[in-house]
Amino acid sequence: MASNCHASTNLDDATACDNNVVLVGNPNSGKTTVFNALTGLRQKVGNYPGVTVEKKTGSMTDNHGRVIKLHDLPGLYSLIPKSLDDKISVDILTGRSPHLKSVKLIVLVADASNLNRSLYLITQITELGAPVVLALNMMDAAESKGTRINTKEMANELGVEVLPVVAKKGQGIAELRSKIIELLAQEKDKQAHTALPVTDAVQQAAQPVGEYIQRVHGLSVQASLAEAYRIISNDNALQGWLSHTNGRKQDATELSSLATDARAQLDAQSVTWQMLETNSRYRLVDHIFQKAVQPNLKQGRSHSEKVDIVLTHRLVGPLIFVAILALIFQSIFLWAEIPTQAIESVMVWLGQQAALILPEGILQDLILDGAIAGVGAVLVFMPQIMFLFFFLSLLEDSGYMARAAFIFDRFMRAAGLSGRSVIPLLSSFACAIPGIMATRTIQSSRDRIITIMIAPFMSCSARLPVYALMIGAFIPPYYVLGIFSLPALTLLSMYMIGILAALGTAVLLKKLTGRQTKESSFVMELPPYRLPSLRWTSLQMWERAKIFVTDAGKIIFAMSIVLWALAYFPRPDNPNEVSGSTAIRQSYAGRLGQAMEPVIRPLGFDWKMGIGLITSFAAREVMVSTMATIYNVEGGNETSVTLREALKRDRDPITGQAVYTPLVALSLMVFFVLACQCMSTVAIVKRETNSWRWPVTMIVYMTVMAYIGSFIVYQGGKILGLG
Amino acid sequence: MNTMLSLEKLNPGDNAIINEIKSNGVDHGVLMEMGLISGTSVQLIKFAPLGDPLEIKVRGYHLSIRKSDAKSILVEKQ
Ligand SMILES: Nc1nc2c(ncn2[C@@H]2O[C@H](COP(=O)(O)OP(=O)(O)O)[C@@H](O)[C@H]2O)c(=O)[nH]1
């Protein structure tokens, strides 16, 4: 009843009463640009519950002020799902999704300059019988290619409205908006707009499967029949429907036996049913294309093809890649450093102001060292994330990302991954957090998870202070073979250990997860190079930063407070008289470090290092400042001579032996290569995978790896007599 | 009649017509849905710097596929 119907204005949920409009289309069709143009900034990025797939929702209002909700579905090529992302879209389009039950209108977005292939998905969707409007985007690109499109003829053939659009320039958007409003106001027709051309024999064979879909899932007659063709001709499609029987076993058995019967019937008439839908559909596609599109046959090499000759050239291509990467890293290490330091100074200043206002005591310490430091811990990542995402979205929007994947696919396959993982993993050498956020461009969700899990093994910039302190203090500046300096070789080995651990983990995870999913082929479109728009690049950069602060920030802040409390309580009776060193020894963190000593002894670590391992979970470089506190070195940092000397002088009170030896230093560095000593990484993995399962697995797995690695280094070194 | 060969045997710049997608490939359904069905013309554009994957042009757009997938695509060189 209408009175019970409450449309919700909250973008997080979609009720049946809402005017739900979905945007679908091939990847690279400019779908996101259309979505942005329609919704402006009224949008929200989240995740579909329980999965890693990104969910984008936005809104626009009609002439009466009613809210229309737009859902930007993951891009796809076909209604037969190949990945988790595809499945989300397909389920929504065919009314099987728990996330979005009632779709009032489908806005199809297609690249007008690439219509032949796009018509495949277009005709699949026009067969479903839901109200559809087709936005022919990139009309400018089609024009400059010399392609002539007869939109009237196309509308005629498809039975749906067709609107030419140039989303990037905002052309046709107003018309599209009014068309959406107009179609929503109409009574919806459940008529399919097109039908797959099949023989009578095929139609007869598919009938029972279609009736089943209609009866059990409530699809229209034509849509059910369209699904039936897919089910018969492709096992993935069949599997897709089998997983939607709501646990009713007899339904699943019934559907698979119906499909088997239909296939047998076609076999008996020697009709090939494998990929029957695809073959018939491309006949339909070719027919429509011929009627409505006049491609420019005399066209020579396009600009994009000329550019590509250089960018994916055998020798020049990889060199350009390295140059681009060098530029990105330069920006992170040099330019992002300036705002980062500014943020740090502001936090210090805030602390000083707070210290003036607040009375000395626990409250002051909590605000200063807990809260302000916690906010600082979140904010210092912002410049890095924004710089990296500025470049990454430029690469993605220009079409270069696909080329980087093309160049390095062979290389990544060694680890069972695809070229898509190259950029996220390389970004992780700067910082795993933007690296992990960049895994969204990986289409296969299994590859995405694996890439997320191995990204923290890449030695990030926060490990450098630890390496620098240990190498500076304990690795003698010898030259090996007269040319290689031992400290440099040590540093290089740390990076190599991280890379090897990452590759090994990838292979292992691939094996573990490989049983359910069969090896998928790596088929990737190489979109034409396009000039990215600065406006949306900035928007994306801003969006990532916002996600980081709002979603990961909360977790990081909470953990900062906990870590502060661990190192702060219990308070000594006379806090003003004891040194920082004594205070931290007495704290819970100090006690934990001491309690841990038997466990970490085999790695060559004493309890002081144990404390450092606990506090450095806030961020790896905190290890250095903790050491400075423990050894009572004022303002000690990784290059401070006093701190290095203090470490070298430290003796075991019982045996009188040096606590640190080069072997201990090596063992500690290896621990830092492998361990997940970074709460921000944990927080972002939680955000990106949308569950605690992966971050917890990551902590446990990496800590075990680190323990084993350090154990081997220390014990192995002792056996070799290096102790 | 021209001889049949698998797609990765073509040289960059060669044009060909797809004759058959063998179903023993990794997942021939994916290739076919991307428009590689019999009778369609393809052009081999180039191989990646490491020799694999390869770039083809089909139905007016560019696609990257691995050699292992290309092996299951039989073409007739033009
Ligand atoms: N020439 C042209 N480029 C466009 C148009 N719409 C989007 N683009 C560009 O196409 C690329 C891909 O767009 P995007 O919206 O990210 O595609 P999606 O993958 O479908 O979401 C970007 O570089 C856009 O700037 C258009 O109408 N004309």
Side-chain angles (χ1 to χ4, degrees):
Chain A
M1 269 199 300
S3 57
N4 289 337
C5 207
H6 290 292
S8 136
T9 47
N10 181 354
L11 288 181
D12 277 331
D13 51 45
T15 68
C17 304
D18 290 332
N19 278 321
N20 288 315
V21 174
V22 297
L23 248 74
V24 268
N26 291 161
N28 306 310
S29 58
K31 199 165 54 65
T32 311
T33 314
V34 172
F35 177 78
N36 286 339
L38 285 173
T39 62
L41 292 175
R42 283 159 301 170
Q43 47 174 280
K44 193 173 185 310
V45 187
N47 275 65
Y48 286 99
V51 287
T52 54
V53 181
E54 184 167 288
K55 175 182 173 179
K56 265 186 126 170
T57 317
S59 68
M60 49 184 246
T61 38
D62 70 7
N63 313 340
H64 308 286
R66 271 190 303 258
V67 175
I68 298 169
K69 278 186 192 167
L70 264 85
H71 306 264
D72 187 12
L73 302 190
L76 77 170
Y77 290 107
S78 147
L79 288 185
I80 300 177
K82 312 288 179 313
S83 67
L84 211 57
D85 299 50
D86 289 358
K87 198 166 156 12
I88 294 273
S89 296
V90 171
D91 284 355
I92 288 174
L93 289 169
T94 53
R96 288 177 278 174
S97 172
H99 309 305
L100 185 54
K101 274 256 178 288
S102 84
V103 173
K104 297 246 167 81
L105 176 68
I106 298 172
V107 178
L108 257 167
V109 180
D111 174 356
S113 64
N114 185 6
L115 257 185
N116 195 309
R117 205 262 338 278
S118 318
L119 278 167
Y120 188 82
L121 179 71
I122 293 173
T123 56
Q124 279 187 328
I125 288 175
T126 50
E127 272 160 34
L128 292 179
V132 174
V133 53
L134 171 60
L136 271 190
N137 190 29
M138 308 210 185
M139 287 301 278
D140 55 335
E143 231 156 78
S144 63
K145 243 178 136 179
T147 310
R148 291 239 293 275
I149 301 167
N150 185 340
T151 44
K152 256 211 199 96
E153 190 62 42
M154 173 131 328
N156 224 359
E157 288 292 329
L158 291 171
V160 300
E161 306 256 11
V162 179
L163 296 179
V165 170
V166 183
K168 204 162 136 184
K169 300 187 188 128
Q171 289 167 15
I173 294 297
E175 290 83 352
L176 179 61
R177 190 194 309 262
S178 349
K179 186 57 74 185
I180 291 173
I181 294 169
E182 181 193 321
L183 289 175
L184 278 175
Q186 284 172 9
E187 271 304 301
K188 53 178 168 187
D189 52 337
K190 272 275 174 187
Q191 282 299 310
H193 312 285
T194 52
L196 194 67
V198 291
T199 59
D200 288 346
V202 173
Q203 197 186 339
Q204 262 164 28
Q207 209 74 45
V209 180
E211 277 159 17
Y212 165 91
I213 297 290
Q214 193 191 346
R215 174 165 50 81
V216 177
H217 295 277
L219 267 63
S220 72
V221 180
Q222 291 121 321
S224 302
L225 203 55
E227 287 303 329
Y229 296 143
R230 256 192 290 288
I231 289 171
I232 293 171
S233 58
N234 190 295
D235 275 334
N236 285 338
L238 174 61
Q239 285 307 325
W241 282 98
L242 286 178
S243 65
H244 277 280
T245 44
N246 304 329
R248 289 189 304 270
K249 212 160 176 213
Q250 69 272 28
D251 278 358
T253 346
E254 189 186 345
L255 178 57
S256 31
S257 77
L258 282 174
T260 314
D261 289 350
R263 289 173 180 178
Q265 196 177 325
L266 290 172
D267 274 335
Q269 304 175 52
S270 357
V271 177
T272 319
W273 50 263
Q274 281 105 341
M275 301 309 291
L276 177 136
E277 189 224 346
T278 306
N279 278 312
S280 320
R281 186 170 305 286
Y282 268 113
R283 275 210 306 279
L284 176 66
V285 165
D286 287 337
H287 165 79
I288 298 174
F289 190 77
Q290 210 185 359
K291 288 207 108 169
V293 184
Q294 237 181 305
N296 178 3
L297 295 174
K298 290 199 290 288
Q299 199 212 14
R301 273 207 188 106
S302 66
H303 287 308
S304 176
E305 285 167 340
K306 284 179 201 150
V307 171
D308 208 39
I309 292 176
V310 180
L311 290 186
T312 58
H313 184 271
R314 209 163 273 262
L315 297 170
V316 183
L319 286 179
I320 292 177
F321 177 83
V322 170
I324 291 176
L325 211 67
L327 179 75
I328 296 177
F329 271 54
Q330 167 109 343
S331 80
I332 290 169
F333 282 116
L334 288 179
W335 305 336
E337 190 62 17
I338 300 162
T340 304
Q341 273 170 3
I343 290 172
E344 278 168 352
S345 323
V346 169
M347 294 328 275
V348 169
W349 179 83
L350 268 181
Q352 286 163 349
Q353 298 308 306
L356 291 179
I357 302 164
L358 298 165
E360 261 184 52
I362 291 186
L363 183 68
Q364 193 198 57
D365 293 338
L366 171 67
I367 303 283
L368 253 64
D369 303 328
I372 294 183
V375 172
V378 178
L379 292 184
V380 289
F381 283 106
M382 296 281 290
Q384 285 195 25
I385 289 178
M386 292 178 71
F387 268 94
L388 197 67
F389 269 97
F390 179 75
F391 286 106
L392 291 186
S393 41
L394 278 187
L395 295 187
E396 178 69 29
D397 282 357
S398 63
Y400 186 76
M401 202 73 109
R403 270 64 184 199
F406 176 69
I407 295 175
F408 291 100
D409 179 60
R410 180 72 199 80
F411 185 72
M412 292 311 295
R413 213 176 316 159
L417 294 171
S418 82
R420 282 276 175 195
S421 300
V422 162
I423 296 270
L425 289 178
L426 289 175
S427 307
S428 301
F429 279 116
C431 175
I433 290 153
I436 286 169
M437 292 175 90
T439 57
R440 285 169 183 237
T441 53
I442 303 172
Q443 263 104 32
S444 141
S445 48
R446 177 166 64 146
D447 282 7
R448 187 183 308 168
I449 292 280
I450 294 177
T451 309
I452 289 175
M453 294 299 279
I454 67 176
F457 281 121
M458 302 293 151
S459 277
C460 62
S461 54
R463 282 160 168 115
L464 274 173
V466 180
Y467 297 160
L469 176 65
M470 290 295 141
I471 290 177
F474 300 103
I475 307 296
Y478 289 148
Y479 276 83
V480 181
L481 303 172
I483 36 170
F484 302 110
S485 94
L486 197 54
L489 279 183
T490 311
L491 187 61
L492 183 67
S493 328
M494 293 308 138
Y495 278 85
M496 293 314 293
I497 291 170
I499 293 171
L500 289 178
L503 294 183
T505 306
V507 172
L508 183 77
L509 280 173
K510 197 87 185 178
K511 283 241 165 66
L512 288 179
T513 56
R515 268 169 287 144
Q516 301 97 334
T517 23
K518 67 169 178 245
E519 184 69 32
S520 65
S521 40
F522 179 64
V523 177
M524 176 182 64
E525 184 178 355
L526 296 166
Y529 289 102
R530 292 197 179 95
L531 220 53
S533 102
L534 220 53
R535 184 151 168 245
W536 296 123
T537 302
S538 322
L539 183 74
Q540 275 201 28
M541 173 175 92
W542 180 242
E543 201 144 77
R544 295 300 150 196
K546 211 168 71 187
I547 287 175
F548 177 75
V549 171
T550 54
D551 297 9
K554 281 180 255 171
I555 303 172
I556 298 172
F557 183 76
M559 286 199 251
S560 301
I561 301 281
V562 170
L563 286 173
W564 167 80
L566 277 179
Y568 189 80
F569 294 109
R571 295 304 288 156
D573 300 330
N574 44 352
N576 292 330
E577 284 154 40
V578 301
S579 63
S581 165
T582 316
I584 197 165
R585 285 172 205 222
Q586 288 181 359
S587 70
Y588 289 118
R591 293 177 197 185
L592 258 172
Q594 291 169 50
M596 259 164 63
E597 197 179 58
V599 182
I600 55 177
R601 195 75 259 177
L603 313 182
F605 303 166
D606 72 347
W607 58 270
K608 296 185 220 95
M609 288 176 242
I611 299 176
L613 292 185
I614 293 166
T615 56
S616 64
F617 188 65
R620 293 178 172 95
E621 69 268 22
V622 171
M623 178 78 183
V624 176
S625 56
T626 302
M627 286 296 149
T629 310
I630 293 177
Y631 288 98
N632 264 330
V633 178
E634 278 293 331
N637 63 23
E638 66 271 19
T639 50
S640 132
V641 179
T642 11
L643 181 55
R644 289 182 185 177
E645 287 309 314
L647 294 181
K648 283 189 198 167
R649 271 199 313 273
D650 194 12
R651 303 282 145 182
D652 186 314
I654 301 162
T655 62
Q657 280 173 341
V659 170
Y660 285 91
T661 61
L663 189 59
V664 173
L666 272 185
S667 169
L668 190 68
M669 279 190 279
V670 167
F671 194 91
F672 268 86
V673 172
L674 300 173
C676 185
Q677 295 290 102
C678 178
M679 61 179 180
S680 309
T681 302
V682 173
I684 201 69
V685 173
K686 154 75 176 69
R687 166 64 182 71
E688 293 295 317
T689 62
N690 207 8
S691 94
W692 279 106
R693 190 172 114 217
W694 289 109
V696 168
T697 311
M698 177 182 272
I699 298 177
V700 173
Y701 174 76
M702 290 184 74
T703 308
V704 169
M705 285 277 281
Y707 191 90
I708 294 173
S710 289
F711 187 88
I712 292 173
V713 168
Y714 187 68
Q715 298 297 334
K718 275 214 312 207
I719 291 169
L720 295 175
L722 298 174
Chain B
M1 200 198 119
N2 278 317
T3 44
M4 216 79 81
L5 69 172
S6 59
L7 184 63
E8 91 285 0
K9 298 267 164 55
L10 294 176
N11 291 316
D14 283 354
N15 286 295
I17 302 272
I18 296 174
N19 187 278
E20 188 196 346
I21 312 275
K22 287 191 287 187
S23 55
N24 57 3
V26 197
D27 187 355
H28 72 303
V30 177
L31 297 172
M32 291 179 71
E33 292 208 277
M34 294 303 280
L36 296 161
I37 61 169
S38 56
T40 311
S41 48
V42 285
Q43 185 183 20
L44 185 91
I45 304 289
K46 64 164 66 165
F47 292 92
L50 294 166
D52 189 12
L54 41 111
E55 175 179 353
I56 57 172
K57 190 171 177 179
V58 60
R59 293 181 182 270
Y61 78 103
H62 292 249
L63 190 67
S64 153
I65 61 175
R66 286 178 177 168
K67 259 188 176 170
S68 52
D69 289 331
K71 286 207 169 77
S72 62
I73 304 173
L74 287 187
V75 299
E76 209 169 304
K77 199 174 148 182
Q78 289 293 290

